Amino acid sequence: MGKRQKEELPDYTVANMDVDGMPWNTGRKKFSVQDQELDTEEKEPLTKAETKAVIWLSLKAGLVIGGVFIGAAALFLLFCVYVWLR
């Protein structure tokens, strides 16, 4: 039998693996029409009341999540003390 022919890879991109912020990708900036349309949209700054509302809601969400973790830890400790070790 003769030499095996080298298989050639296709010359198109299957998945773009460029990640923004990586050293090999910092010098190039790619823009598309959709990005330009989104960037030109001006957003109004939040009012003082809206800013306070956003901060208060995020604080409440953080406290709820923290409470769930503390409750789970407390239940685990109670389980260890009263069920597992007896």
Side-chain angles (χ1 to χ4, degrees):
M1 292 198 158
K3 282 187 173 181
R4 212 169 152 195
Q5 290 184 352
K6 182 180 175 184
E7 293 181 22
E8 292 187 24
L9 295 175
D11 193 28
Y12 58 88
T13 302
V14 175
N16 186 5
M17 299 300 238
D18 288 342
V19 178
D20 291 335
M22 294 305 238
W24 58 82
N25 198 26
T26 55
R28 298 176 287 171
K29 185 71 174 169
K30 297 178 184 177
F31 294 102
S32 67
V33 175
Q34 293 173 346
D35 292 339
Q36 290 175 356
E37 288 175 3
L38 291 176
D39 289 340
T40 58
E41 181 181 322
E42 295 182 19
K43 298 178 183 175
E44 294 180 16
L46 296 176
T47 64
K48 206 171 201 179
E50 291 172 337
T51 304
K52 285 182 181 179
V54 168
I55 291 172
W56 177 244
L57 289 175
S58 60
L59 180 64
K60 286 194 322 187
L63 289 172
V64 166
I65 291 171
V68 167
F69 277 105
I70 290 172
L75 287 175
F76 177 72
L77 287 174
L78 289 173
F79 172 76
C80 288
V81 170
Y82 292 111
V83 176
W84 195 356
L85 297 177
R86 294 198 183 234

